[in-house]
Amino acid sequence: MSEHHPQFEEEVGSEQDVQLDEPPLYRVLLLNDDYTTMDFVVEVLRYVFHKSEEDANRIMLNVHQQGAGVCGLYPLEIAETKIDIVDSLARERGFPLKCTMERE
């Protein structure tokens, strides 16, 4: 049978007011340029941002007509990773496509 050692006991609080804040989200944007093809932009939106064909075409048109298109909202680390992937893919294919983010 175990012995009772009161000097090793700790009080356990049953009520704690711990408030966890949601991490801030960042809006990832593709920026228009005069050289990147519309097909490549759609490909990036489908592959990197997992957009449907319809959504990818809609966002691509926003990029083309309005100068920028929103790809999604992500926590900081995910947004940075997606931007890095877009930059790498664009460089590999010889396009100057730029991707950026802004805090929501």
Side-chain angles (χ1 to χ4, degrees), residues 7-8 11-12 15 18 21-22 36 38 40 52 56 66 73 75 86-87 95-96:
Q7 70 270 23
F8 296 117
E11 280 190 37
V12 177
E15 289 187 38
V18 176
D21 292 331
E22 292 291 321
T36 304
M38 293 179 182
F40 181 71
S52 67
Q66 299 173 8
L73 294 171
V86 170
D87 288 344
F95 292 118

Side-chain angles (χ1 to χ4, degrees), residues 18-76:
V18 176
Q19 185 170 352
L20 298 177
D21 292 331
E22 292 291 321
L25 295 178
Y26 292 81
R27 189 175 291 114
V28 176
L29 306 162
L30 285 178
L31 305 178
N32 190 37
D33 63 71
D34 292 334
Y35 301 101
T36 304
T37 64
M38 293 179 182
D39 289 339
F40 181 71
V41 173
V42 169
E43 184 180 328
V44 164
L45 288 163
R46 301 232 17 200
Y47 175 74
V48 178
F49 298 98
H50 308 288
K51 299 297 181 184
S52 67
E53 184 77 28
E54 182 180 307
D55 286 343
N57 279 300
R58 181 183 48 76
I59 295 167
M60 176 273 298
L61 287 174
N62 285 341
V63 171
H64 180 67
Q65 295 169 348
Q66 299 173 8
V70 177
C71 305
L73 294 171
Y74 305 96
L76 179 62

Side-chain angles (χ1 to χ4, degrees), residues 80-99:
E80 290 173 335
T81 300
K82 290 192 179 287
I83 289 169
D84 289 344
I85 293 169
V86 170
D87 288 344
S88 294
L89 290 172
R91 263 184 280 137
E92 285 175 15
R93 298 281 291 277
F95 292 118
L97 181 64
K98 294 295 177 203
C99 192

